[in-house]
Amino acid sequence: MKKLLASFVPALVLAASTGITCSAIAQTAPASTAAPAKASSALFDTFGGKVGLVKLMDDFMVRLLADTRTGPHFKPTNQHRVKEQLVDQFCFVMGGPCVYKGADMKSAHANLDITKGDFNALVEVLQQAMDAQGIAFTAQNQLLAKLAPMHRDVITVQ
Amino acid sequence: MKTLTTALLIGAAGLACTTAQADTGKLLLTGGVSSVDGSAGGGLSPWAVIGSNATTGEIGGSAFVTRTTTQDFGMNVYGAAVGIKDRVELSLARQDFDATPALALNGVAPFGVTPGQHIMMDVMGVKVKVAGDAVLDSDTLMPQIAVGLQYKSVTPGSLSSVFNFLGTKTNGTDFYVSATKLFLAQGLLVNATLRNTNANQNGLLGFGSGAPGKDSRSWVPEVSLAYLLRKNWAIGAEYRVKPNNLEDLGQAAGLGKGLAEDAWKDVFVAWAPNKNVSVTLAYADLGRIVPGVTAARNQSGYYLSAQFAF
C-alpha cells in the first residue's frame, strides 16, 4: 500500500513541515486510521476547513496545468491523487485534523529536475489560487511560511 | 565611467531581449528596489538580496531612475545592475547632484564656484551573497547575509577648490555587510547593514577631511523595515547613520556648524504593478547638508524611483 502511494507522489508536491516529520508519520500512522482527532487551528478555519482546501486545490491544479512554467511538471502526474495529497498536506501543516500519508519531500522529488525558479513559480500560482478563493494576504503568508522551508528538499537543481 | 554605465545599460537591455522568453524566477519584490548607490536594497541602504529577477541558476538585470528633491538641493540618479545566479550583483550608478546653493561659498572665500554647479558621482558596486535565504528559510532566524563594496568617484567641477580647502579626496570605497530577513508569516522584512566608509554626504562632498576634521574611516549602521501590505505593495522606513567628518574642520574655519552632517531617514511605499516594474515613493529627511549655505535647515522632500527588472 505504501509503495502504491509512493508511486503516485506528484512532482513538486508541497508536503508536511519537514521530510523527517512526514516520513515518521508515514511510518507510524496505519493507513486505515486516516484522520486521528486533532484540534482544528485558526488558520485551517480561515482556509474554510477541508471543504475550502478541496476547492482551493481544484482551482490550484487547473492553474498549475495552465501555467507554462509549472504545466510540464504536473501534466504527467495523477492530478486527482496530487490534489488529494495536497489537501491532506496543507490541512496537516495548518494544524488541521489530517494526516499526510505520502512519501517525504526529499525522496518524492529526488528524481525530478526542480529549480528554485520552478519552486517560486509554484508559489506564485498558489498565491493566485489563494487570491481567487478570497483568502486574506496575511493568512496566505502564514501558510507560505510553513511551506517555504520545504525548498531544501524540493529543489534538486542548484 | 560614463562609458561604463552606458555599456552596462546597453548590455542590460540586450540581455532583456535575449532572455525575455526564459523567465527569471524571483518572487515579486524579493530582489529589492535600486538604492541611490545602485545596489539592490531599499532606497538609502543596500540589502543582502541580489538585484534583478534572476534566482539560482539564472542571470538577470535591472535599470532604474531616481529623482529626489529637498528645500535647497536636487539629485537625479540612474544606473543598472546585473544579478548572477542570485549570488553576485554588479551595479553602476550615476548621481547628478544640483549643488547650486554652494555658490554662497564664494562669500566665504574666493572659491570661484560657478552658478548652477552640479556634482557628479559614479558608483560601481559589487555584492556577494555569502549565506542564507532571506525569503524561504522561514523556519529559522537565520538571515540572508551579503558583503559588498561601492567604489565611488566624484567630479566636483568648479567646487574642486572647495574640496581642496576641505582636504577631501575625490574617490573612496565603502565596504558593507548586510543581513536581510523576511519574517514571512508576519509579512515583515528587516535589514541591517553595517558600512565602513569615509564618505561625506555619501561621497558627494568627497572622502575624509583635512585636520581637525575626521579623516579616518567609520563603521556606521543602517536599518530598514518593510511591511508587505499585499504581494505587490510594501511600506517601510529606513534610517542610515553617516559619519560627520567635516564639522570640526568647519568649526575651526569659523563656519560654526556650517559643515555638519546628519543621518538619512525615509518612509516609503513601493509598488510592483508587474514582475518587471517597481515604483518607489518616499518622503526623505536627509538632515543638514552644508547648513552653512542653506540657512542651517534640514533637507527633506520626496524621493521617486522607478525600476525595470528582468
Side-chain angles (χ1 to χ4, degrees):
Chain A
M1 179 63 181
K2 235 185 210 167
K3 197 173 176 186
L4 188 67
L5 275 173
S7 69
F8 279 119
V9 163
L12 255 178
V13 105
L14 290 168
S17 57
T18 67
I20 294 164
T21 318
C22 298
S23 52
I25 284 161
Q27 280 157 18
T28 54
S32 53
T33 58
K38 190 172 180 184
S40 191
S41 79
L43 186 58
F44 180 63
D45 293 341
T46 304
F47 275 73
K50 199 147 183 178
V51 174
L53 282 178
V54 169
K55 266 182 75 182
L56 174 66
M57 292 318 159
D58 283 346
D59 182 48
F60 185 32
M61 183 54 72
V62 171
R63 291 170 188 273
L64 283 172
L65 293 169
D67 193 289
T68 53
R69 300 165 303 173
T70 52
H73 291 282
F74 285 91
K75 285 199 177 93
T77 66
N78 178 336
Q79 290 131 22
H80 180 72
R81 171 66 70 179
V82 174
K83 287 194 286 186
E84 276 182 2
Q85 293 197 328
L86 285 170
V87 168
D88 282 346
Q89 289 165 344
F90 282 32
C91 170
F92 176 79
V93 301
M94 287 192 275
C98 309
V99 166
Y100 170 62
K101 302 186 291 290
D104 69 273
M105 284 298 88
K106 200 163 187 99
S107 42
H109 299 87
N111 297 325
L112 304 165
D113 288 341
I114 298 166
T115 65
K116 196 170 197 173
D118 294 329
F119 186 87
N120 286 346
L122 181 134
V123 172
E124 279 180 16
V125 176
L126 177 58
Q127 286 177 317
Q128 291 162 10
M130 291 190 291
D131 283 345
Q133 295 299 315
I135 294 160
F137 181 62
T138 49
Q140 293 186 18
N141 284 342
Q142 286 173 41
L143 173 63
L144 291 176
K146 293 175 188 296
L147 302 175
M150 295 174 194
H151 77 93
R152 297 179 200 121
D153 290 334
V154 172
I155 296 167
T156 55
V157 181
Q158 292 301 322
Chain B
M1 195 71 182
K2 187 168 190 178
T3 325
L4 259 177
T5 309
T6 312
L8 198 98
L9 279 168
I10 292 168
L15 263 175
C17 298
T18 53
T19 61
Q21 282 80 29
D23 277 318
T24 43
K26 264 204 187 79
L27 290 166
L28 214 52
L29 286 175
T30 59
V33 299
S34 298
S35 68
V36 283
D37 293 322
S39 308
L44 302 179
S45 257
W47 294 353
V49 299
I50 300 298
S52 87
N53 289 349
T55 186
T56 313
E58 303 168 346
I59 294 176
S62 65
F64 74 99
V65 289
T66 296
R67 166 83 186 157
T68 182
T69 307
T70 69
Q71 284 80 358
D72 298 294
F73 299 105
M75 183 166 77
N76 294 327
V77 191
Y78 60 92
V82 173
I84 302 163
K85 303 188 172 185
D86 203 27
R87 174 66 62 184
V88 176
E89 174 189 297
L90 306 173
S91 60
L92 285 175
R94 164 156 284 213
Q95 300 181 355
D96 178 349
F97 180 76
D98 183 349
T100 297
L103 188 63
L105 291 169
N106 290 338
V108 178
F111 285 121
V113 177
T114 56
Q117 179 66 55
H118 285 223
I119 297 174
M120 310 297 284
M121 185 163 79
D122 292 322
V123 185
M124 190 175 74
V126 180
K127 187 198 293 178
V128 179
K129 178 173 89 175
V130 293
D133 185 310
V135 179
L136 296 181
D137 285 345
S138 48
D139 56 346
T140 77
L141 287 173
M142 174 70 184
Q144 179 164 325
I145 298 169
V147 294
L149 67 82
Q150 293 171 339
Y151 171 78
K152 302 174 178 181
S153 172
V154 64
T155 307
S158 68
L159 286 161
S160 289
S161 52
V162 178
F163 274 46
N164 291 336
F165 169 75
L166 300 173
T168 67
K169 292 172 277 295
T170 54
N171 62 72
T173 305
D174 289 359
F175 301 94
Y176 64 87
V177 56
S178 292
T180 307
K181 180 73 188 173
L182 173 64
F183 295 95
L184 182 52
Q186 291 76 27
L188 182 69
L189 182 142
V190 180
N191 179 78
T193 294
L194 194 58
R195 183 193 300 260
N196 184 263
T197 180
N198 62 346
N200 309 315
Q201 296 292 0
N202 198 38
L204 290 167
L205 297 183
F207 302 83
S209 169
K214 185 180 180 187
D215 198 39
S216 58
R217 304 179 66 86
S218 310
W219 285 102
V220 282
E222 305 171 6
V223 178
S224 307
L225 292 175
Y227 178 71
L228 290 168
L229 295 171
R230 294 159 177 264
K231 61 190 170 192
N232 61 342
W233 280 94
I235 54 171
E238 296 181 281
Y239 192 94
R240 173 175 166 182
V241 176
K242 309 210 315 304
N244 183 16
N245 299 328
L246 295 172
E247 183 174 356
D248 290 346
L249 174 68
Q251 197 79 251
L255 299 171
K257 294 186 180 302
L259 297 177
E261 176 171 353
D262 297 314
W264 282 355
K265 304 145 227 157
D266 75 37
V267 289
F268 67 84
V269 54
W271 171 52
N274 60 55
K275 285 201 87 165
N276 301 115
V277 177
S278 71
V279 180
T280 306
L281 177 66
Y283 175 78
D285 177 355
L286 306 179
R288 291 168 294 176
I289 299 175
V290 199
V293 297
T294 56
R297 57 184 164 190
N298 262 26
Q299 301 297 324
S300 59
Y302 78 88
Y303 166 110
L304 182 63
S305 183
Q307 187 202 62
F308 172 80
F310 60 89

mmCIF file of all heavy atoms in Angstrom, chain B residues 68-89:
data_model
loop_
_atom_site.group_PDB
_atom_site.id
_atom_site.type_symbol
_atom_site.label_atom_id
_atom_site.label_comp_id
_atom_site.label_asym_id
_atom_site.label_seq_id
_atom_site.Cartn_x
_atom_site.Cartn_y
_atom_site.Cartn_z
ATOM 1 N N THR B 68 15.181 62.917 -6.474
ATOM 2 C CA THR B 68 14.861 63.363 -5.126
ATOM 3 C C THR B 68 15.123 64.863 -5.038
ATOM 4 O O THR B 68 16.080 65.382 -5.631
ATOM 5 C CB THR B 68 15.642 62.565 -4.055
ATOM 6 O OG1 THR B 68 15.245 63.011 -2.756
ATOM 7 C CG2 THR B 68 17.138 62.722 -4.196
ATOM 8 N N THR B 69 14.249 65.538 -4.330
ATOM 9 C CA THR B 69 14.335 66.989 -4.228
ATOM 10 C C THR B 69 14.105 67.410 -2.786
ATOM 11 O O THR B 69 13.216 66.886 -2.125
ATOM 12 C CB THR B 69 13.254 67.662 -5.107
ATOM 13 O OG1 THR B 69 13.356 67.150 -6.417
ATOM 14 C CG2 THR B 69 13.468 69.163 -5.156
ATOM 15 N N THR B 70 14.933 68.334 -2.315
ATOM 16 C CA THR B 70 14.740 68.893 -0.973
ATOM 17 C C THR B 70 14.591 70.413 -1.096
ATOM 18 O O THR B 70 14.566 70.945 -2.211
ATOM 19 C CB THR B 70 15.924 68.555 -0.052
ATOM 20 O OG1 THR B 70 17.078 69.272 -0.505
ATOM 21 C CG2 THR B 70 16.224 67.060 -0.052
ATOM 22 N N GLN B 71 14.539 71.085 0.045
ATOM 23 C CA GLN B 71 14.346 72.535 0.045
ATOM 24 C C GLN B 71 15.380 73.236 -0.836
ATOM 25 O O GLN B 71 15.054 74.172 -1.568
ATOM 26 C CB GLN B 71 14.465 73.090 1.475
ATOM 27 C CG GLN B 71 13.252 72.831 2.359
ATOM 28 C CD GLN B 71 13.237 71.427 2.941
ATOM 29 O OE1 GLN B 71 14.117 70.613 2.657
ATOM 30 N NE2 GLN B 71 12.228 71.143 3.743
ATOM 31 N N ASP B 72 16.645 72.802 -0.746
ATOM 32 C CA ASP B 72 17.717 73.523 -1.430
ATOM 33 C C ASP B 72 18.442 72.721 -2.505
ATOM 34 O O ASP B 72 19.179 73.293 -3.298
ATOM 35 C CB ASP B 72 18.747 74.004 -0.388
ATOM 36 C CG ASP B 72 18.135 74.974 0.612
ATOM 37 O OD1 ASP B 72 17.755 76.081 0.193
ATOM 38 O OD2 ASP B 72 18.019 74.611 1.800
ATOM 39 N N PHE B 73 18.259 71.408 -2.488
ATOM 40 C CA PHE B 73 19.032 70.572 -3.411
ATOM 41 C C PHE B 73 18.133 69.640 -4.214
ATOM 42 O O PHE B 73 16.974 69.413 -3.857
ATOM 43 C CB PHE B 73 20.049 69.720 -2.639
ATOM 44 C CG PHE B 73 21.069 70.517 -1.865
ATOM 45 C CD1 PHE B 73 20.977 70.631 -0.489
ATOM 46 C CD2 PHE B 73 22.110 71.161 -2.512
ATOM 47 C CE1 PHE B 73 21.914 71.360 0.250
ATOM 48 C CE2 PHE B 73 23.056 71.906 -1.789
ATOM 49 C CZ PHE B 73 22.954 71.997 -0.414
ATOM 50 N N GLY B 74 18.704 69.104 -5.263
ATOM 51 C CA GLY B 74 18.002 68.092 -6.048
ATOM 52 C C GLY B 74 19.014 67.109 -6.579
ATOM 53 O O GLY B 74 20.192 67.439 -6.765
ATOM 54 N N MET B 75 18.578 65.885 -6.778
ATOM 55 C CA MET B 75 19.501 64.887 -7.324
ATOM 56 C C MET B 75 18.760 63.923 -8.238
ATOM 57 O O MET B 75 17.679 63.438 -7.911
ATOM 58 C CB MET B 75 20.187 64.109 -6.192
ATOM 59 C CG MET B 75 21.219 63.109 -6.711
ATOM 60 S SD MET B 75 22.332 62.477 -5.424
ATOM 61 C CE MET B 75 21.259 61.300 -4.603
ATOM 62 N N ASN B 76 19.370 63.662 -9.380
ATOM 63 C CA ASN B 76 18.896 62.616 -10.279
ATOM 64 C C ASN B 76 19.905 61.481 -10.256
ATOM 65 O O ASN B 76 21.114 61.732 -10.264
ATOM 66 C CB ASN B 76 18.782 63.139 -11.717
ATOM 67 C CG ASN B 76 17.705 64.201 -11.856
ATOM 68 O OD1 ASN B 76 16.689 64.153 -11.167
ATOM 69 N ND2 ASN B 76 17.942 65.169 -12.730
ATOM 70 N N VAL B 77 19.421 60.276 -10.236
ATOM 71 C CA VAL B 77 20.307 59.114 -10.270
ATOM 72 C C VAL B 77 19.789 58.146 -11.326
ATOM 73 O O VAL B 77 18.576 57.956 -11.447
ATOM 74 C CB VAL B 77 20.343 58.371 -8.909
ATOM 75 C CG1 VAL B 77 21.476 57.344 -8.895
ATOM 76 C CG2 VAL B 77 20.483 59.333 -7.742
ATOM 77 N N TYR B 78 20.693 57.571 -12.072
ATOM 78 C CA TYR B 78 20.282 56.456 -12.923
ATOM 79 C C TYR B 78 21.368 55.405 -12.894
ATOM 80 O O TYR B 78 22.530 55.693 -12.569
ATOM 81 C CB TYR B 78 19.965 56.901 -14.355
ATOM 82 C CG TYR B 78 21.109 57.560 -15.091
ATOM 83 C CD1 TYR B 78 21.973 56.798 -15.882
ATOM 84 C CD2 TYR B 78 21.318 58.939 -15.017
ATOM 85 C CE1 TYR B 78 23.023 57.395 -16.567
ATOM 86 C CE2 TYR B 78 22.365 59.551 -15.687
ATOM 87 C CZ TYR B 78 23.203 58.766 -16.460
ATOM 88 O OH TYR B 78 24.240 59.361 -17.130
ATOM 89 N N GLY B 79 21.007 54.188 -13.196
ATOM 90 C CA GLY B 79 22.002 53.130 -13.139
ATOM 91 C C GLY B 79 21.413 51.788 -13.530
ATOM 92 O O GLY B 79 20.253 51.693 -13.942
ATOM 93 N N ALA B 80 22.242 50.779 -13.402
ATOM 94 C CA ALA B 80 21.839 49.437 -13.802
ATOM 95 C C ALA B 80 22.599 48.413 -12.971
ATOM 96 O O ALA B 80 23.643 48.722 -12.387
ATOM 97 C CB ALA B 80 22.127 49.214 -15.289
ATOM 98 N N ALA B 81 22.038 47.236 -12.907
ATOM 99 C CA ALA B 81 22.690 46.164 -12.161
ATOM 100 C C ALA B 81 22.469 44.839 -12.871
ATOM 101 O O ALA B 81 21.491 44.662 -13.600
ATOM 102 C CB ALA B 81 22.140 46.086 -10.736
ATOM 103 N N VAL B 82 23.391 43.935 -12.659
ATOM 104 C CA VAL B 82 23.261 42.576 -13.174
ATOM 105 C C VAL B 82 23.296 41.629 -11.981
ATOM 106 O O VAL B 82 24.148 41.764 -11.097
ATOM 107 C CB VAL B 82 24.405 42.231 -14.154
ATOM 108 C CG1 VAL B 82 24.355 40.763 -14.556
ATOM 109 C CG2 VAL B 82 24.329 43.117 -15.391
ATOM 110 N N GLY B 83 22.342 40.716 -11.930
ATOM 111 C CA GLY B 83 22.315 39.701 -10.874
ATOM 112 C C GLY B 83 22.690 38.362 -11.465
ATOM 113 O O GLY B 83 22.097 37.925 -12.452
ATOM 114 N N ILE B 84 23.721 37.743 -10.907
ATOM 115 C CA ILE B 84 24.230 36.495 -11.457
ATOM 116 C C ILE B 84 23.948 35.349 -10.493
ATOM 117 O O ILE B 84 24.506 35.294 -9.394
ATOM 118 C CB ILE B 84 25.739 36.611 -11.750
ATOM 119 C CG1 ILE B 84 25.999 37.769 -12.716
ATOM 120 C CG2 ILE B 84 26.290 35.296 -12.311
ATOM 121 C CD1 ILE B 84 27.440 38.230 -12.767
ATOM 122 N N LYS B 85 23.020 34.489 -10.894
ATOM 123 C CA LYS B 85 22.699 33.256 -10.161
ATOM 124 C C LYS B 85 22.319 33.516 -8.701
ATOM 125 O O LYS B 85 22.587 32.691 -7.830
ATOM 126 C CB LYS B 85 23.862 32.266 -10.266
ATOM 127 C CG LYS B 85 24.189 31.948 -11.724
ATOM 128 C CD LYS B 85 25.183 30.852 -11.885
ATOM 129 C CE LYS B 85 25.292 30.493 -13.374
ATOM 130 N NZ LYS B 85 26.149 29.370 -13.640
ATOM 131 N N ASP B 86 21.708 34.639 -8.465
ATOM 132 C CA ASP B 86 21.299 35.015 -7.104
ATOM 133 C C ASP B 86 22.472 34.927 -6.126
ATOM 134 O O ASP B 86 22.294 34.662 -4.930
ATOM 135 C CB ASP B 86 20.136 34.128 -6.627
ATOM 136 C CG ASP B 86 19.323 34.813 -5.528
ATOM 137 O OD1 ASP B 86 19.303 36.052 -5.502
ATOM 138 O OD2 ASP B 86 18.731 34.098 -4.706
ATOM 139 N N ARG B 87 23.656 35.164 -6.646
ATOM 140 C CA ARG B 87 24.870 35.061 -5.827
ATOM 141 C C ARG B 87 25.691 36.351 -5.874
ATOM 142 O O ARG B 87 26.170 36.830 -4.866
ATOM 143 C CB ARG B 87 25.701 33.868 -6.349
ATOM 144 C CG ARG B 87 27.067 33.687 -5.702
ATOM 145 C CD ARG B 87 26.994 33.329 -4.237
ATOM 146 N NE ARG B 87 26.314 32.055 -4.025
ATOM 147 C CZ ARG B 87 26.055 31.543 -2.822
ATOM 148 N NH1 ARG B 87 26.427 32.193 -1.738
ATOM 149 N NH2 ARG B 87 25.414 30.403 -2.701
ATOM 150 N N VAL B 88 25.848 36.886 -7.083
ATOM 151 C CA VAL B 88 26.711 38.056 -7.280
ATOM 152 C C VAL B 88 25.909 39.176 -7.942
ATOM 153 O O VAL B 88 25.118 38.927 -8.853
ATOM 154 C CB VAL B 88 27.929 37.693 -8.176
ATOM 155 C CG1 VAL B 88 28.776 38.931 -8.462
ATOM 156 C CG2 VAL B 88 28.759 36.603 -7.526
ATOM 157 N N GLU B 89 26.115 40.365 -7.468
ATOM 158 C CA GLU B 89 25.462 41.537 -8.065
ATOM 159 C C GLU B 89 26.524 42.561 -8.442
ATOM 160 O O GLU B 89 27.372 42.920 -7.638
ATOM 161 C CB GLU B 89 24.496 42.148 -7.049
ATOM 162 C CG GLU B 89 23.867 43.467 -7.509
ATOM 163 C CD GLU B 89 23.107 44.121 -6.366
ATOM 164 O OE1 GLU B 89 22.124 43.528 -5.893
ATOM 165 O OE2 GLU B 89 23.522 45.216 -5.932
#
